[in-house]
Amino acid sequence: MSGVRMSGVTPLVPGRPALGADPVRAEPAGPGSLWLVDARQLGAAALRLARTVLDAGEQRRAAAFRREEDRRCWVTAHVALRLLLGARQGVAPAAVRLEREPCAVCGGSDGRPVAPDSGLWFSLSHSGDLALLAFGAAPVGVDVEAVPEPAVVAELAGRLHPRETAGPEAERAASFARLWVRKEAYLKGLGVGLARDPALDYLGTGPVPAAPARWSVADVAVPAGFAAAVARTTTADPAGTQSGSATAGPAGTRSRSAQRTAVVSSSGSSRSPEVARR
């Protein structure tokens, strides 16, 4: 489509044995890389690897899912994350150190996840059978969503910027999904997630995203029935971030702001289409 700013994505595919029977092939994650993971193709291998790759907390989280499909996608996404970071760091996936920064809103321990030994920021999103992972030298955000049902679009339409509309009825669900993933990717990149009112920022529903100041937003090519986007900072001090006390960045350095590098979970009325469907 002419004029579309579409970000390239690398599929993570079944490949050579490296960590046991039928693992996935993981090339090193690098700044600017974007990876698409299909749990239908990789789920069986990821579930086998999970027993030795995921830590105790991750395994408890995986066991808590009620639907097997949700568990499979979550496990596949997080095994892929560890494989990619481990390949970059030259360590076994289980040895990758993952931490959380302070929450941007409450200062608690459930903020943005970081890999302090990797020298990279990362963002992860999953929906249905797909997961999307992005890596960058500066804060980055990604989101992937299945195109929602009309009832979900109607429920969340009031959360949009006043200049944003979901388009003609025949295209409304796809248009809304395209807009929402742009919005969530940007908010995750900021480090505030849906704790920031989605109506505050204009991302647009047209073929080219409307990037906020000091940010670049691009749609990501994903299979039919899904929409995805990635947001990257274009400056070391992105606009819209909040100030706060220092905290450790992804490489273990001190950041000027704890609050600008944390992601909070959606709750209450600030729900993503994926949450609203459940």
Side-chain angles (χ1 to χ4, degrees):
M1 183 183 302
S2 178
V4 174
R5 184 175 0 168
M6 190 70 72
S7 181
V9 62
T10 302
L12 197 64
V13 298
R16 307 185 294 274
L19 299 172
D22 192 27
V24 295
R25 176 178 61 85
E27 299 175 2
S33 64
L34 193 61
W35 295 83
L36 183 67
V37 180
D38 189 333
R40 293 171 301 180
Q41 296 178 356
L42 302 175
L47 288 168
R48 287 194 294 272
L49 287 170
R51 294 189 293 271
T52 55
V53 168
L54 300 184
D55 66 23
E58 290 168 327
Q59 294 194 39
R60 286 194 298 270
R61 175 75 183 275
F65 283 95
R66 295 182 179 180
R67 298 178 66 244
E68 182 58 34
E69 294 84 355
D70 295 336
R71 178 183 298 107
R72 181 182 65 182
C73 190
W74 191 94
V75 166
T76 303
H78 287 78
V79 166
L81 174 66
R82 285 184 168 274
L83 286 167
L84 290 165
L85 289 173
R88 174 179 174 81
Q89 296 173 207
V91 301
V96 172
R97 187 160 59 100
L98 298 173
E99 298 177 351
R100 283 190 176 271
E101 294 194 340
C103 171
V105 176
C106 67
S109 59
D110 59 344
R112 181 201 295 268
V114 294
D117 302 323
S118 70
L120 292 176
W121 300 86
F122 70 85
S123 182
L124 183 156
S125 177
H126 54 87
S127 178
D129 290 313
L130 294 182
L132 188 63
L133 300 92
F135 301 87
V140 59
V142 291
D143 192 49
V144 60
E145 300 277 356
V147 174
E149 297 294 331
V152 175
V153 176
E155 179 182 352
L156 296 178
R159 306 295 298 170
L160 303 181
H161 187 277
R163 292 169 53 201
E164 292 169 339
T165 60
E169 184 173 357
E171 305 170 5
R172 191 163 297 163
S175 176
F176 177 86
R178 183 168 62 245
L179 165 63
W180 193 268
V181 295
R182 294 170 179 176
K183 198 172 287 282
E184 278 216 55
Y186 169 62
L187 294 177
K188 289 169 71 175
L190 280 183
V192 295
L194 289 172
R196 179 179 171 92
D197 186 352
L200 293 176
D201 304 294
Y202 177 74
L203 276 297
T205 58
V208 179
R214 303 182 186 180
W215 284 84
S216 173
V217 180
D219 295 332
V220 177
V222 289
F226 290 85
V230 59
R232 300 186 185 278
T233 60
T234 57
T235 175
D237 186 19
T241 56
Q242 305 176 33
S243 61
S245 59
T247 189
T253 58
R254 302 297 287 181
S255 168
R256 293 195 315 168
S257 168
Q259 292 184 332
R260 77 180 177 202
T261 55
V263 169
V264 298
S265 299
S266 58
S267 61
S269 60
S270 297
R271 295 190 291 170
S272 72
E274 185 71 17
V275 174
R277 284 194 295 271
R278 295 176 183 171

